[in-house]
Amino acid sequence: TQHPALQRNEVNFFYWHPSIDQNDGVRVFAYCRSGGQDLGKSGQAVVVANTGPDDFPSFNLPWPWARLSNAGVSEHGAPVGALNPQVRKTGTGTLTLSLAPFQTRVFTV
């Protein structure tokens, strides 16, 4: 609760799996607490959630922060045995991480 991005109410959903609304769809989405800044700026908090029963040893999603010169990702409460998040700066950027069933991962950038 001490992070500056959490002191404001802006929430930007930047990813949801295309099949999230289907009966057997993939229940993965991601949002950012932006702290009043444009999406992709430093100093933001990001949540990636798998609210379904599927296990994803490797999951890719768009990553607007890849263009930052210090594109470091800090995870808070990293799950034991989880794939460390990997940022690729190609195109608009991609984050690759593992998502266990009903798991939420929290990052600051």
Side-chain angles (χ1 to χ4, degrees), residues 8-9 13 16 20 23 44 48 62 75 85 89 105:
R8 298 174 55 113
N9 290 327
F13 283 84
W16 51 91
I20 198 166
N23 287 341
Q44 297 180 333
V48 180
E75 185 163 9
K89 295 183 179 188
R105 297 185 68 178

Side-chain angles (χ1 to χ4, degrees), residues 39-93:
L39 190 66
K41 301 284 185 179
S42 62
Q44 297 180 333
V46 179
V47 174
V48 180
N50 177 10
T51 61
D54 298 316
D55 184 28
F56 300 103
S58 180
F59 193 90
N60 296 316
L61 64 142
W63 194 248
W65 299 271
R67 62 183 169 71
L68 295 175
S69 60
N70 61 344
V73 176
S74 297
E75 185 163 9
H76 303 275
V80 174
L83 175 69
N84 288 333
Q86 303 293 318
V87 175
R88 284 180 288 180
K89 295 183 179 188
T90 57
T92 57

Side-chain angles (χ1 to χ4, degrees), residues 17 19-29 49-54:
H17 193 274
S19 69
I20 198 166
D21 288 334
Q22 296 173 6
N23 287 341
D24 292 325
V26 173
R27 304 281 191 253
V28 175
F29 64 91
N50 177 10
T51 61
D54 298 316

